[in-house]
Amino acid sequence: MAATPQRTPPHADWDRFGVWLPVYWKAPSVKTVTVFLGSSTELAPEVVSLADFSGELNSVYQARRVRLRLEQWRWPGDDPAVWDAKRAGHTALIRSSDLCFFLFFTSLAARTAYEFATAVDSSRASAKGRPQVATWFKQLDEGRRMDGELVRLRDRLESEMGHYWNTWASVEALKLGVLMQLKRSGADTPVTVKDDRALVDGRPLVDLTQVPSYAQFQGLDRLRAELDQVQERWSELNHQSWASPADRTLAEEFSRADQRRRELEEALDKARFEFLAVTASMFEATRPGSILSPRRARAYRLFELGNVDQALALLDEDVLRAEATSAQARLDATKQMISLIADQAGAERQRLRTTADTWLQRYDMWKTKPLSRDSLAGMETALREAVAIEERAGLEPEATFQLAGFLRQQRRWDEAEAVYQDYLASPSVAGDDGKRAGGLNELGILCRKRGDLDQAAAAYDEALVIYRRLAAVNPQKYQPGLARILNSIGPLRRHQRLFDQAEAAYAEALTIYRSLAEANPHEHQFGLAKTLNNLGILRRHQGQPDQAVAAYTEALELYRILVATNPREYQPNLARALNNFGGLCRKSQRFPQADAAYTEALAIYRPLAEADPQAYQPCLAQVLNNLGILRRNQGEPDKAAAAYAEALGIYRPLAIAHPQTYRPNLARALHNVGYFLHTQGNLKEAGAALTEAVNIRRELAEADPRAHQRGFASTLNKLQRVYEDQGKHREAQAAAQEAAQIGSSPTSHSAESKALA
């Protein structure tokens, strides 16, 4: 008698012992994601592990009203009669699944081949691409080989079927791959990393130390080993410090060890988050229907096995340039063939798009490396090569927009502006109001940071008109953009001293962001935090310290939540908010809170400035300048002098390299140093610092009176008082007269309050 096939009964879950457990009634609102699992019998241990894993996932998904149902058809034998009798039910099971996962190792059974073909055919025939099909091949052990049928199937997957196949070397790597596939397919639960474990809603589910791509990522092993050594030394020094609290040398060594320990912990957190981001990007790029060149597919598989250097070697710059040149030549030739231009040019454009995307993949790979001059150069090269392809072929300017943001982050203002203008002028952006408004907002931010307020206002105003029109028709899609542009307009109006307009912009942005963040905190908490930080700055300028503290406090709470999930992305924002909060506390005589805020901001900015000086040295100098003012007010002249000296040491080379951007900062720092030296009775050096500040501010005020006259008059007043104390009455009178001519009283003592950056 023929054996009866065994399969999952409807609405059942599978436990690790192969026992089918009935599922009791569930509320209709629970979303069920059905996964069909096909594999050969040689992978039975992995199948059991995935069954256990699905049970763990269900315990997490339950709170989000999502249920994972794992289906697998198990045959006790290969009786043809049984196969024919049950084929229809088997086929229906596969076609009704949301996802089909297939695991292969060395052999391909006829049943598994049929299951795979059925899943692929059903996916192609479905308008929604259901079921989605994902395939994994286990890395072969030394001495083992695939049989011919399986080799032929694997070779056909990408060449004939356009189907990317994953590889795995450990069960934990397989679990991570399954988790990413599920996240992409509707079970969208936040995945984070803590203590080398992948967590879903805070529950550890994957041991990342067993995942090859993680073990080699950004030197995690090296960072972890160094942290262990530093932690051990830190513990020793901590114990010794308790025993010898008066030993200053020991205290300094302990402070250095503590600083290095924190830096290593932050570096580990950043690397762990970047690993998740790169892995998610890989799974997104390899989703069904994506067009991958053999080179890109192989590079992704090398990454899965932890071989990033081999992946970079495969994505060789010269080879990619040659591919782009070849594709461009084919495109140019195709354009000359009038009868075939539409179809062939489209195909060549797609090939060029794929090559440009491969350059962007190389950019992403460079981002996984520790930040350095080499990695920054590698990122810029990859972006520029992708931009060149887009421009020559008339493609969507995706790389162009990324390059503009990269250059802006490096404070290369003129280069960034030129790229933004190219982006806005491209036909696809000029004809799309949403993209144009977004580009205008980014251009406005650049102009405001560079000090071109009129140009920033023009860009913002145009973007605001567009976003209001779009949001009125489709609020769900365009309200986030409207909130962003309102939050950008607020700082501009504040700089223009149009406080009422700034307050109105922030109020409208906050109303939108609070509603958006309540529905989707992961997506909109950053926008809410940024708006609250800007509102705190406005309240400080309006002389409303209590309201400013409330806004800053809420912003800092949100930034800390964001930093916990993505340190590399949000630490600079947290540091800026801390610097702003420190300034408020200093002015309102809350010195301990100001001290804590500046100290934490410095701890963030120092490693950032060391890794990327061009982007973060100005931020570090700004905090040091403000800390100098605080130390002066606290009556700690030695510490104030040290902070001022370090700030000046940063600002001087910046002002030489980028005078338009940083000479105002240098003048402000010199003003503060001169005032400080005057209070210490060092009249000669105070006069020298203030004279240098006056000369810079005089030139700045001549070029832009509205922006710089007030600071110029303030510094003249300080210099006048130094001259008087030196007995140089003629010079003092000249300084007083020059200050009076620009509308400032020579006896005013309010200049200090204008010195804060």
Side-chain angles (χ1 to χ4, degrees), residues 6-51:
Q6 300 173 358
R7 60 166 299 251
T8 313
H11 309 298
D13 286 329
W14 182 35
D15 79 356
R16 63 171 297 171
F17 302 107
V19 178
W20 297 103
L21 303 177
V23 174
Y24 299 99
W25 179 87
K26 288 183 171 60
S29 60
V30 172
K31 177 179 180 180
T32 298
V33 179
T34 303
V35 179
F36 179 85
L37 179 62
S39 69
S40 59
T41 56
E42 62 184 336
L43 294 176
E46 284 83 353
V47 171
V48 171
S49 294
L50 287 185

Side-chain angles (χ1 to χ4, degrees), residues 46 50 53 103 136 168 170-179:
E46 284 83 353
L50 287 185
F53 188 53
L103 312 181
W136 283 270
W168 96 89
S170 69
V171 172
E172 297 302 312
L174 179 60
K175 289 180 182 178
L176 181 64
V178 168
L179 186 60

